[in-house]
Amino acid sequence: GQQLNQSPQSMFIQEGEDVSMNCTSSSIFNTWLWYKQDPGEGPVLLIALYKAGELTSNGRLTAQFGITRKDSFLNISASIPSDVGIYFCAGLNAGNNRKLIWGLGTSLAVNP
Amino acid sequence: DSGVTQTPKHLITATGQRVTLRCSPRSGDLSVYWYQQSLDQGLQFLIQYYNGEERAKGNILERFSAQQFPDLHSELNLSSLELGDSALYFCASSVEQVSYNEQFFGPGTRLTVL
């Protein structure tokens, strides 16, 4: 099935550093979602984006809906140990609103 | 705690067997979604039910089936199991029929097929 290209696949950073990850698609999306999955848990929605160019924050997290509607970015500022986990992007293709398309995730490790 | 419950948490079985995974959505949620998560494939949408009826189908194998009961809980049936079916299976729920911005995930069932 279709998947989003999410990068980087993994990151290992020092506490306090900023983090950036992104998600790209070959087709146009009309919704972008960012989730975080802690070990042994299900994904939890962090930020939802619905309009091209939209920039939305949730605490230290900021996400943007790319103006081409084919990409999205998630930034985490001043990382802390509890930011550890897998971050997934997901999107609704403009041509198929019933199924979320998922990225493979970015695994984040934070060294205290 | 998302309010979505899944049982069992872990399941170990043999190839060729059949298993049933159970999901109870959040109180008031009418939609249930099933996902499969494996290391090399990420999260794959399997199927969605809304108020007892199938609403959307993803990459669900013919060996797999699901249903949603009148009390809105759902079951995912996996039969003729193969080694490659080993994965985490998540259930999610939402209030609306199409409400991807408010989809709440359960803790998952880890299936191991030996």
Side-chain angles (χ1 to χ4, degrees), chain A residues 44-82:
Chain A
V44 174
L45 181 65
L46 299 174
I47 293 177
L49 303 160
Y50 302 104
K51 211 161 73 168
E54 182 180 354
L55 186 71
T56 298
S57 293
N58 178 4
R60 293 177 296 104
L61 277 62
T62 302
Q64 184 162 24
F65 193 140
I67 56 173
T68 65
R69 297 173 63 192
K70 293 184 178 181
D71 56 10
S72 179
F73 304 86
L74 176 70
N75 296 314
I76 305 173
S77 63
S79 59
I80 59 178
S82 62

Side-chain angles (χ1 to χ4, degrees), chain B residues 48-107:
Chain B
Q48 178 203 356
Y49 279 83
Y50 175 77
N51 204 22
E53 295 188 5
E54 183 183 307
R55 271 297 177 261
K57 223 167 183 174
N59 302 318
I60 187 167
L61 300 172
E62 284 190 13
R63 300 183 286 109
F64 296 179
S65 65
Q67 54 184 328
Q68 187 179 28
F69 295 86
D71 67 353
L72 300 177
H73 91 270
S74 178
E75 292 181 356
L76 178 67
N77 300 296
L78 314 176
S79 62
S80 302
L81 285 168
E82 302 175 358
L83 295 177
D85 297 328
S86 295
L88 266 170
Y89 290 84
F90 286 106
C91 163
S93 74
S94 68
V95 175
E96 302 295 335
Q97 179 175 336
V98 180
S99 180
Y100 297 98
N101 59 323
E102 293 178 358
Q103 216 173 95
F104 297 87
F105 282 78

Side-chain angles (χ1 to χ4, degrees), chain A residues 1-3 31 33 35 37 40-45 48 50 86 88 92 97-100 102-104, chain B residues 9 35 37 40-45 48 55-59 88 90 97-98 100-101 103 105-107:
Chain A
Q2 182 182 2
Q3 280 178 334
T31 297
L33 307 173
Y35 284 82
Q37 185 177 20
E41 303 289 333
V44 174
L45 181 65
Y50 302 104
I86 303 177
F88 289 98
L92 282 175
N97 282 330
R98 287 187 174 274
K99 293 184 284 188
L100 271 178
W102 291 82
L104 291 180
Chain B
K9 193 160 177 64
Y35 291 87
Q37 184 179 36
D40 59 346
Q41 291 294 322
L43 269 165
Q44 297 287 331
F45 168 70
Q48 178 203 356
R55 271 297 177 261
K57 223 167 183 174
N59 302 318
L88 266 170
F90 286 106
Q97 179 175 336
V98 180
Y100 297 98
N101 59 323
Q103 216 173 95
F105 282 78

Side-chain angles (χ1 to χ4, degrees), chain B residues 12-44:
Chain B
I12 301 174
T13 188
T15 54
Q17 295 298 305
R18 172 189 170 95
V19 298
T20 297
L21 312 183
R22 183 188 169 103
C23 168
S24 292
R26 291 188 320 152
S27 177
D29 284 0
L30 300 178
S31 269
V32 170
Y33 310 79
W34 285 97
Y35 291 87
Q36 180 192 56
Q37 184 179 36
S38 53
L39 282 174
D40 59 346
Q41 291 294 322
L43 269 165
Q44 297 287 331

